[in-house]
Amino acid sequence: MKTLVFINGPMGVGKTAVCRELLERLQPGAWLDGDWCWMMRPFSVTEETKAMVLDNITALLSRFLQSPALDYVLFSWVMH
């Protein structure tokens, strides 16, 4: 059975550090940091970029969750 773990919290509380540690302990696993999907220059938050980022996150999480090679999927982001 696959486990999806959400790591949520405000900026600077240690989500990245927690996910790094969890990824070492929860194997076979994958980690998607929602912030990675916003890595673009220039950084611009518009309705179009929001839709693109959410679509990318949905696609990546879906592929990780469908993979028979993974038992754990970690997702970290500042979620509202």
Side-chain angles (χ1 to χ4, degrees):
M1 179 166 150
K2 194 163 314 267
T3 302
L4 175 60
V5 179
F6 287 96
I7 306 296
N8 181 27
M11 294 184 305
V13 297
K15 294 181 298 295
T16 298
V18 167
C19 286
R20 281 190 187 121
E21 185 63 30
L22 282 174
L23 191 58
E24 291 301 315
R25 295 172 184 242
L26 301 177
Q27 293 185 21
W31 166 32
L32 174 61
D33 184 336
D35 287 341
W36 295 339
C37 296
W38 281 103
M39 295 285 182
M40 60 183 116
R41 298 295 178 263
F43 177 77
S44 176
V45 179
T46 65
E47 291 305 314
E48 292 79 19
T49 58
K50 281 190 233 179
M52 176 190 63
V53 167
L54 291 176
D55 188 50
N56 289 342
I57 288 170
T58 301
L60 285 168
L61 276 178
S62 176
R63 287 185 178 99
F64 282 147
L65 290 170
Q66 291 173 17
S67 172
L70 301 171
D71 290 341
Y72 300 94
V73 178
L74 310 174
F75 177 62
S76 62
W77 200 17
V78 178
M79 292 174 267
H80 301 285

